Amino acid sequence: MSRALPLTAPPCDDRTATQRRSLGGACLAHALHDGYTDLLYVLLPVWQAEFGLSYAGVAALRSLYYGTMGGLQIPADRLAGRLSIRAALGLSTVVAAMGFVVMGLSGGLFGLCAGLVLAGIGSSIQHPRASLLVSDAYGRAARGPLGLYNFAGDIGKATFPVAVALMLGVLAWRPVAGLMALAGLAAAVALVAVLPRRPLPPAPSRAAGRDTGQSRKNFTLLMAVGALDTATRMGTLLFLPFLLEAKGGTGAATGLALALVFAGGAFGKAVCGWLGERVGVVRCVIATELVTALLAAALLPLPLGPTLMLLPLLGIALNGTSSVLYGTVPDLAPHGDTGRAFALFYTAVIGAGGLAPIAYGAFADRAGETAGLLMAAATALATVPPVLALRRPLKAAQAPV
């Protein structure tokens, strides 16, 4: 969809203020929707007990939300493209919140499933639209801001599950779902207030006007790197609790371990986006993936104490790569269509996040948990060849226009 540019550029101070409001609104949307995604882990055991579900049934419940969110990235982005990004983000947040309203008012399993699907529909809009907002606002300098946007998602992942867990100590799950809906509606109001009524015209991007016929191939390579990176992350987190248990860790140790990984990951996401801008995408990605593979393998022989000490460093490398990759999407977007490129990229990484644990779990059932963790580490190494193949396209994208 073409977007008309104004005849005159806004003053520098106004542009900076609008950039900050755009980034702030995108971060708020990301924190809320990622928080919605991860708080479901806290509710799954409650639903299992109430509805008498098997583990497969619990997994199916999560898939209703996760699969809807991931599978609708492209069509939802296409439909939302008819609206302003401000309206699209506000509407998507309201729809996701209404999903929690349906869950809270449900009297049975069918209503719960309907609410999960509705919430997934709302969250499917957020990633491509908010990413496009940041990319349009910052143009060539978007890699760092996209890293902050990515970091904001981890803030939501850290706060919402904890809040739900605390509330479940004094409330039933349906009132908790209602409170989560109120949080979403409040966030929608805040988004309308924070996001600029007139967003900035798209700043020049490195991909603009560059289409050599290899753009689709290059972007496919980037999606492959993103999918492999996500698979590595999901596989490592899948086996970490079992590894800690084998070392004598308790449930408290597992909670501490995950907190250490996510804390390091949040720091890595905030830093690696800027680092990729300074040392280059290829060098940064290869470095973080090699460190991920080495640290994941190093966890196996270490006792519990040193393992816990190593986890923040693992989190930095494990999660930091994603910020570099998200920031590269505008560089390699086919035909300069950044919105569709983000939708495609998020479809690939969310799909990998859903399928990878199943594949790793099946492999570990046959070969053991140690082999499963080593397979996840090896997946990190598999990103190196496609990243190296992107050296020339990225160099061309970063060349002055």
Side-chain angles (χ1 to χ4, degrees), residues 6-36:
L7 295 178
T8 58
C12 183
D13 290 345
D14 290 346
R15 183 174 186 87
T16 300
T18 303
Q19 285 177 328
R20 290 175 178 173
R21 292 177 63 186
S22 299
L23 178 60
C27 288
L28 173 60
H30 200 191
L32 177 89
H33 287 271
D34 273 21
Y36 272 179

PDB file of all heavy atoms in Angstrom, residues 6-36:
ATOM      1  N   PRO A   6       4.495  14.002   2.897  1.00  0.00           N
ATOM      2  CA  PRO A   6       4.167  15.420   2.956  1.00  0.00           C
ATOM      3  C   PRO A   6       5.143  16.228   2.124  1.00  0.00           C
ATOM      4  O   PRO A   6       6.264  15.801   1.853  1.00  0.00           O
ATOM      5  CB  PRO A   6       4.298  15.733   4.461  1.00  0.00           C
ATOM      6  CG  PRO A   6       5.260  14.714   4.982  1.00  0.00           C
ATOM      7  CD  PRO A   6       5.030  13.486   4.165  1.00  0.00           C
ATOM      8  N   LEU A   7       4.701  17.431   1.754  1.00  0.00           N
ATOM      9  CA  LEU A   7       5.550  18.280   0.926  1.00  0.00           C
ATOM     10  C   LEU A   7       6.735  18.819   1.702  1.00  0.00           C
ATOM     11  O   LEU A   7       7.803  19.053   1.152  1.00  0.00           O
ATOM     12  CB  LEU A   7       4.707  19.450   0.374  1.00  0.00           C
ATOM     13  CG  LEU A   7       3.577  19.048  -0.591  1.00  0.00           C
ATOM     14  CD1 LEU A   7       2.795  20.282  -1.013  1.00  0.00           C
ATOM     15  CD2 LEU A   7       4.135  18.322  -1.816  1.00  0.00           C
ATOM     16  N   THR A   8       6.552  18.994   3.011  1.00  0.00           N
ATOM     17  CA  THR A   8       7.640  19.522   3.822  1.00  0.00           C
ATOM     18  C   THR A   8       7.866  18.600   5.001  1.00  0.00           C
ATOM     19  O   THR A   8       6.928  18.008   5.536  1.00  0.00           O
ATOM     20  CB  THR A   8       7.307  20.936   4.347  1.00  0.00           C
ATOM     21  OG1 THR A   8       6.090  20.878   5.119  1.00  0.00           O
ATOM     22  CG2 THR A   8       7.138  21.907   3.201  1.00  0.00           C
ATOM     23  N   ALA A   9       9.128  18.471   5.397  1.00  0.00           N
ATOM     24  CA  ALA A   9       9.454  17.617   6.540  1.00  0.00           C
ATOM     25  C   ALA A   9       9.130  18.352   7.827  1.00  0.00           C
ATOM     26  O   ALA A   9       9.232  19.575   7.912  1.00  0.00           O
ATOM     27  CB  ALA A   9      10.942  17.258   6.510  1.00  0.00           C
ATOM     28  N   PRO A  10       8.700  17.634   8.882  1.00  0.00           N
ATOM     29  CA  PRO A  10       8.417  18.280  10.148  1.00  0.00           C
ATOM     30  C   PRO A  10       9.695  18.792  10.779  1.00  0.00           C
ATOM     31  O   PRO A  10      10.784  18.287  10.500  1.00  0.00           O
ATOM     32  CB  PRO A  10       7.807  17.134  10.980  1.00  0.00           C
ATOM     33  CG  PRO A  10       8.344  15.896  10.363  1.00  0.00           C
ATOM     34  CD  PRO A  10       8.501  16.204   8.914  1.00  0.00           C
ATOM     35  N   PRO A  11       9.601  19.824  11.633  1.00  0.00           N
ATOM     36  CA  PRO A  11      10.790  20.320  12.317  1.00  0.00           C
ATOM     37  C   PRO A  11      11.464  19.191  13.088  1.00  0.00           C
ATOM     38  O   PRO A  11      10.835  18.217  13.500  1.00  0.00           O
ATOM     39  CB  PRO A  11      10.223  21.389  13.272  1.00  0.00           C
ATOM     40  CG  PRO A  11       8.913  21.789  12.665  1.00  0.00           C
ATOM     41  CD  PRO A  11       8.398  20.570  11.989  1.00  0.00           C
ATOM     42  N   CYS A  12      12.769  19.357  13.323  1.00  0.00           N
ATOM     43  CA  CYS A  12      13.559  18.299  13.956  1.00  0.00           C
ATOM     44  C   CYS A  12      13.020  17.947  15.332  1.00  0.00           C
ATOM     45  O   CYS A  12      12.905  16.777  15.680  1.00  0.00           O
ATOM     46  CB  CYS A  12      15.015  18.751  14.038  1.00  0.00           C
ATOM     47  SG  CYS A  12      16.115  17.482  14.734  1.00  0.00           S
ATOM     48  N   ASP A  13      12.686  18.981  16.166  1.00  0.00           N
ATOM     49  CA  ASP A  13      12.192  18.719  17.508  1.00  0.00           C
ATOM     50  C   ASP A  13      10.874  17.958  17.467  1.00  0.00           C
ATOM     51  O   ASP A  13      10.649  17.033  18.257  1.00  0.00           O
ATOM     52  CB  ASP A  13      12.010  20.030  18.277  1.00  0.00           C
ATOM     53  CG  ASP A  13      13.351  20.673  18.621  1.00  0.00           C
ATOM     54  OD1 ASP A  13      14.384  19.974  18.521  1.00  0.00           O
ATOM     55  OD2 ASP A  13      13.360  21.862  18.986  1.00  0.00           O
ATOM     56  N   ASP A  14       9.978  18.355  16.547  1.00  0.00           N
ATOM     57  CA  ASP A  14       8.699  17.658  16.423  1.00  0.00           C
ATOM     58  C   ASP A  14       8.916  16.221  15.964  1.00  0.00           C
ATOM     59  O   ASP A  14       8.232  15.307  16.436  1.00  0.00           O
ATOM     60  CB  ASP A  14       7.795  18.389  15.434  1.00  0.00           C
ATOM     61  CG  ASP A  14       7.309  19.738  15.975  1.00  0.00           C
ATOM     62  OD1 ASP A  14       7.460  19.960  17.194  1.00  0.00           O
ATOM     63  OD2 ASP A  14       6.802  20.536  15.170  1.00  0.00           O
ATOM     64  N   ARG A  15       9.846  16.027  15.076  1.00  0.00           N
ATOM     65  CA  ARG A  15      10.107  14.674  14.597  1.00  0.00           C
ATOM     66  C   ARG A  15      10.638  13.795  15.718  1.00  0.00           C
ATOM     67  O   ARG A  15      10.224  12.637  15.876  1.00  0.00           O
ATOM     68  CB  ARG A  15      11.098  14.699  13.423  1.00  0.00           C
ATOM     69  CG  ARG A  15      11.340  13.311  12.848  1.00  0.00           C
ATOM     70  CD  ARG A  15      12.203  13.311  11.603  1.00  0.00           C
ATOM     71  NE  ARG A  15      12.250  11.961  11.069  1.00  0.00           N
ATOM     72  CZ  ARG A  15      11.370  11.449  10.220  1.00  0.00           C
ATOM     73  NH1 ARG A  15      10.363  12.193   9.793  1.00  0.00           N
ATOM     74  NH2 ARG A  15      11.485  10.199   9.788  1.00  0.00           N
ATOM     75  N   THR A  16      11.565  14.328  16.510  1.00  0.00           N
ATOM     76  CA  THR A  16      12.111  13.551  17.618  1.00  0.00           C
ATOM     77  C   THR A  16      11.020  13.181  18.617  1.00  0.00           C
ATOM     78  O   THR A  16      10.963  12.041  19.102  1.00  0.00           O
ATOM     79  CB  THR A  16      13.218  14.342  18.317  1.00  0.00           C
ATOM     80  OG1 THR A  16      14.262  14.622  17.382  1.00  0.00           O
ATOM     81  CG2 THR A  16      13.801  13.547  19.476  1.00  0.00           C
ATOM     82  N   ALA A  17      10.150  14.129  18.942  1.00  0.00           N
ATOM     83  CA  ALA A  17       9.058  13.850  19.876  1.00  0.00           C
ATOM     84  C   ALA A  17       8.119  12.791  19.312  1.00  0.00           C
ATOM     85  O   ALA A  17       7.667  11.892  20.036  1.00  0.00           O
ATOM     86  CB  ALA A  17       8.298  15.135  20.181  1.00  0.00           C
ATOM     87  N   THR A  18       7.824  12.873  18.028  1.00  0.00           N
ATOM     88  CA  THR A  18       6.935  11.886  17.405  1.00  0.00           C
ATOM     89  C   THR A  18       7.587  10.517  17.360  1.00  0.00           C
ATOM     90  O   THR A  18       6.926   9.494  17.560  1.00  0.00           O
ATOM     91  CB  THR A  18       6.561  12.346  15.988  1.00  0.00           C
ATOM     92  OG1 THR A  18       5.959  13.639  16.048  1.00  0.00           O
ATOM     93  CG2 THR A  18       5.569  11.388  15.359  1.00  0.00           C
ATOM     94  N   GLN A  19       8.889  10.482  17.106  1.00  0.00           N
ATOM     95  CA  GLN A  19       9.603   9.203  17.146  1.00  0.00           C
ATOM     96  C   GLN A  19       9.495   8.565  18.521  1.00  0.00           C
ATOM     97  O   GLN A  19       9.231   7.358  18.642  1.00  0.00           O
ATOM     98  CB  GLN A  19      11.073   9.408  16.782  1.00  0.00           C
ATOM     99  CG  GLN A  19      11.338   9.637  15.314  1.00  0.00           C
ATOM    100  CD  GLN A  19      12.812   9.909  15.035  1.00  0.00           C
ATOM    101  OE1 GLN A  19      13.511  10.487  15.864  1.00  0.00           O
ATOM    102  NE2 GLN A  19      13.282   9.495  13.872  1.00  0.00           N
ATOM    103  N   ARG A  20       9.682   9.363  19.556  1.00  0.00           N
ATOM    104  CA  ARG A  20       9.634   8.817  20.907  1.00  0.00           C
ATOM    105  C   ARG A  20       8.234   8.327  21.255  1.00  0.00           C
ATOM    106  O   ARG A  20       8.078   7.283  21.902  1.00  0.00           O
ATOM    107  CB  ARG A  20      10.083   9.887  21.906  1.00  0.00           C
ATOM    108  CG  ARG A  20      11.579  10.194  21.815  1.00  0.00           C
ATOM    109  CD  ARG A  20      11.973  11.326  22.727  1.00  0.00           C
ATOM    110  NE  ARG A  20      13.411  11.587  22.673  1.00  0.00           N
ATOM    111  CZ  ARG A  20      14.004  12.605  23.262  1.00  0.00           C
ATOM    112  NH1 ARG A  20      13.281  13.478  23.962  1.00  0.00           N
ATOM    113  NH2 ARG A  20      15.311  12.758  23.163  1.00  0.00           N
ATOM    114  N   ARG A  21       7.218   9.065  20.836  1.00  0.00           N
ATOM    115  CA  ARG A  21       5.852   8.623  21.102  1.00  0.00           C
ATOM    116  C   ARG A  21       5.526   7.348  20.330  1.00  0.00           C
ATOM    117  O   ARG A  21       4.853   6.452  20.841  1.00  0.00           O
ATOM    118  CB  ARG A  21       4.863   9.736  20.745  1.00  0.00           C
ATOM    119  CG  ARG A  21       4.956  10.955  21.654  1.00  0.00           C
ATOM    120  CD  ARG A  21       4.013  12.057  21.209  1.00  0.00           C
ATOM    121  NE  ARG A  21       2.618  11.638  21.299  1.00  0.00           N
ATOM    122  CZ  ARG A  21       1.600  12.366  20.866  1.00  0.00           C
ATOM    123  NH1 ARG A  21       1.833  13.545  20.289  1.00  0.00           N
ATOM    124  NH2 ARG A  21       0.365  11.933  21.002  1.00  0.00           N
ATOM    125  N   SER A  22       6.024   7.258  19.114  1.00  0.00           N
ATOM    126  CA  SER A  22       5.812   6.041  18.328  1.00  0.00           C
ATOM    127  C   SER A  22       6.481   4.846  18.988  1.00  0.00           C
ATOM    128  O   SER A  22       5.883   3.763  19.111  1.00  0.00           O
ATOM    129  CB  SER A  22       6.350   6.234  16.906  1.00  0.00           C
ATOM    130  OG  SER A  22       5.690   7.288  16.240  1.00  0.00           O
ATOM    131  N   LEU A  23       7.730   5.030  19.410  1.00  0.00           N
ATOM    132  CA  LEU A  23       8.453   3.945  20.060  1.00  0.00           C
ATOM    133  C   LEU A  23       7.802   3.575  21.393  1.00  0.00           C
ATOM    134  O   LEU A  23       7.653   2.389  21.716  1.00  0.00           O
ATOM    135  CB  LEU A  23       9.914   4.347  20.275  1.00  0.00           C
ATOM    136  CG  LEU A  23      10.802   3.320  20.993  1.00  0.00           C
ATOM    137  CD1 LEU A  23      10.848   2.010  20.217  1.00  0.00           C
ATOM    138  CD2 LEU A  23      12.213   3.881  21.184  1.00  0.00           C
ATOM    139  N   GLY A  24       7.392   4.589  22.166  1.00  0.00           N
ATOM    140  CA  GLY A  24       6.753   4.319  23.448  1.00  0.00           C
ATOM    141  C   GLY A  24       5.459   3.541  23.290  1.00  0.00           C
ATOM    142  O   GLY A  24       5.190   2.592  24.037  1.00  0.00           O
ATOM    143  N   GLY A  25       4.646   3.930  22.316  1.00  0.00           N
ATOM    144  CA  GLY A  25       3.399   3.213  22.079  1.00  0.00           C
ATOM    145  C   GLY A  25       3.641   1.796  21.610  1.00  0.00           C
ATOM    146  O   GLY A  25       2.959   0.855  22.048  1.00  0.00           O
ATOM    147  N   ALA A  26       4.609   1.612  20.721  1.00  0.00           N
ATOM    148  CA  ALA A  26       4.925   0.264  20.237  1.00  0.00           C
ATOM    149  C   ALA A  26       5.416  -0.615  21.383  1.00  0.00           C
ATOM    150  O   ALA A  26       5.046  -1.795  21.484  1.00  0.00           O
ATOM    151  CB  ALA A  26       5.977   0.339  19.135  1.00  0.00           C
ATOM    152  N   CYS A  27       6.244  -0.051  22.270  1.00  0.00           N
ATOM    153  CA  CYS A  27       6.748  -0.820  23.410  1.00  0.00           C
ATOM    154  C   CYS A  27       5.616  -1.207  24.356  1.00  0.00           C
ATOM    155  O   CYS A  27       5.584  -2.328  24.884  1.00  0.00           O
ATOM    156  CB  CYS A  27       7.812  -0.016  24.158  1.00  0.00           C
ATOM    157  SG  CYS A  27       9.395   0.131  23.274  1.00  0.00           S
ATOM    158  N   LEU A  28       4.679  -0.288  24.583  1.00  0.00           N
ATOM    159  CA  LEU A  28       3.535  -0.589  25.441  1.00  0.00           C
ATOM    160  C   LEU A  28       2.711  -1.729  24.856  1.00  0.00           C
ATOM    161  O   LEU A  28       2.326  -2.669  25.569  1.00  0.00           O
ATOM    162  CB  LEU A  28       2.667   0.657  25.609  1.00  0.00           C
ATOM    163  CG  LEU A  28       1.326   0.466  26.340  1.00  0.00           C
ATOM    164  CD1 LEU A  28       1.550  -0.054  27.751  1.00  0.00           C
ATOM    165  CD2 LEU A  28       0.538   1.778  26.349  1.00  0.00           C
ATOM    166  N   ALA A  29       2.442  -1.665  23.559  1.00  0.00           N
ATOM    167  CA  ALA A  29       1.666  -2.725  22.911  1.00  0.00           C
ATOM    168  C   ALA A  29       2.396  -4.065  22.991  1.00  0.00           C
ATOM    169  O   ALA A  29       1.788  -5.105  23.278  1.00  0.00           O
ATOM    170  CB  ALA A  29       1.394  -2.353  21.452  1.00  0.00           C
ATOM    171  N   HIS A  30       3.703  -4.053  22.769  1.00  0.00           N
ATOM    172  CA  HIS A  30       4.474  -5.294  22.799  1.00  0.00           C
ATOM    173  C   HIS A  30       4.487  -5.898  24.198  1.00  0.00           C
ATOM    174  O   HIS A  30       4.325  -7.119  24.371  1.00  0.00           O
ATOM    175  CB  HIS A  30       5.905  -5.034  22.331  1.00  0.00           C
ATOM    176  CG  HIS A  30       6.619  -6.267  21.879  1.00  0.00           C
ATOM    177  ND1 HIS A  30       7.969  -6.288  21.624  1.00  0.00           N
ATOM    178  CD2 HIS A  30       6.176  -7.527  21.638  1.00  0.00           C
ATOM    179  CE1 HIS A  30       8.326  -7.505  21.232  1.00  0.00           C
ATOM    180  NE2 HIS A  30       7.256  -8.273  21.246  1.00  0.00           N
ATOM    181  N   ALA A  31       4.675  -5.052  25.212  1.00  0.00           N
ATOM    182  CA  ALA A  31       4.691  -5.551  26.588  1.00  0.00           C
ATOM    183  C   ALA A  31       3.360  -6.196  26.956  1.00  0.00           C
ATOM    184  O   ALA A  31       3.314  -7.274  27.557  1.00  0.00           O
ATOM    185  CB  ALA A  31       5.019  -4.407  27.550  1.00  0.00           C
ATOM    186  N   LEU A  32       2.262  -5.553  26.583  1.00  0.00           N
ATOM    187  CA  LEU A  32       0.953  -6.096  26.927  1.00  0.00           C
ATOM    188  C   LEU A  32       0.704  -7.423  26.218  1.00  0.00           C
ATOM    189  O   LEU A  32       0.322  -8.421  26.851  1.00  0.00           O
ATOM    190  CB  LEU A  32      -0.152  -5.108  26.573  1.00  0.00           C
ATOM    191  CG  LEU A  32      -1.542  -5.693  26.851  1.00  0.00           C
ATOM    192  CD1 LEU A  32      -1.978  -5.407  28.268  1.00  0.00           C
ATOM    193  CD2 LEU A  32      -2.569  -5.219  25.854  1.00  0.00           C
ATOM    194  N   HIS A  33       0.901  -7.456  24.912  1.00  0.00           N
ATOM    195  CA  HIS A  33       0.545  -8.659  24.160  1.00  0.00           C
ATOM    196  C   HIS A  33       1.482  -9.822  24.464  1.00  0.00           C
ATOM    197  O   HIS A  33       1.031 -10.981  24.534  1.00  0.00           O
ATOM    198  CB  HIS A  33       0.528  -8.346  22.660  1.00  0.00           C
ATOM    199  CG  HIS A  33      -0.642  -7.518  22.251  1.00  0.00           C
ATOM    200  ND1 HIS A  33      -1.847  -8.064  21.880  1.00  0.00           N
ATOM    201  CD2 HIS A  33      -0.814  -6.173  22.176  1.00  0.00           C
ATOM    202  CE1 HIS A  33      -2.711  -7.099  21.578  1.00  0.00           C
ATOM    203  NE2 HIS A  33      -2.095  -5.940  21.751  1.00  0.00           N
ATOM    204  N   ASP A  34       2.765  -9.564  24.678  1.00  0.00           N
ATOM    205  CA  ASP A  34       3.654 -10.647  25.091  1.00  0.00           C
ATOM    206  C   ASP A  34       3.331 -11.101  26.510  1.00  0.00           C
ATOM    207  O   ASP A  34       3.467 -12.280  26.848  1.00  0.00           O
ATOM    208  CB  ASP A  34       5.110 -10.203  24.996  1.00  0.00           C
ATOM    209  CG  ASP A  34       5.692 -10.427  23.609  1.00  0.00           C
ATOM    210  OD1 ASP A  34       4.895 -10.529  22.649  1.00  0.00           O
ATOM    211  OD2 ASP A  34       6.922 -10.491  23.473  1.00  0.00           O
ATOM    212  N   GLY A  35       2.903 -10.162  27.355  1.00  0.00           N
ATOM    213  CA  GLY A  35       2.456 -10.539  28.691  1.00  0.00           C
ATOM    214  C   GLY A  35       1.231 -11.430  28.640  1.00  0.00           C
ATOM    215  O   GLY A  35       1.135 -12.426  29.372  1.00  0.00           O
ATOM    216  N   TYR A  36       0.279 -11.101  27.768  1.00  0.00           N
ATOM    217  CA  TYR A  36      -0.883 -11.957  27.563  1.00  0.00           C
ATOM    218  C   TYR A  36      -0.461 -13.371  27.148  1.00  0.00           C
ATOM    219  O   TYR A  36      -1.021 -14.370  27.604  1.00  0.00           O
ATOM    220  CB  TYR A  36      -1.779 -11.367  26.470  1.00  0.00           C
ATOM    221  CG  TYR A  36      -2.811 -10.376  26.956  1.00  0.00           C
ATOM    222  CD1 TYR A  36      -3.678  -9.762  26.056  1.00  0.00           C
ATOM    223  CD2 TYR A  36      -2.937 -10.044  28.300  1.00  0.00           C
ATOM    224  CE1 TYR A  36      -4.645  -8.861  26.471  1.00  0.00           C
ATOM    225  CE2 TYR A  36      -3.900  -9.138  28.733  1.00  0.00           C
ATOM    226  CZ  TYR A  36      -4.751  -8.548  27.812  1.00  0.00           C
ATOM    227  OH  TYR A  36      -5.711  -7.659  28.242  1.00  0.00           O
TER     228      TYR A  36
END
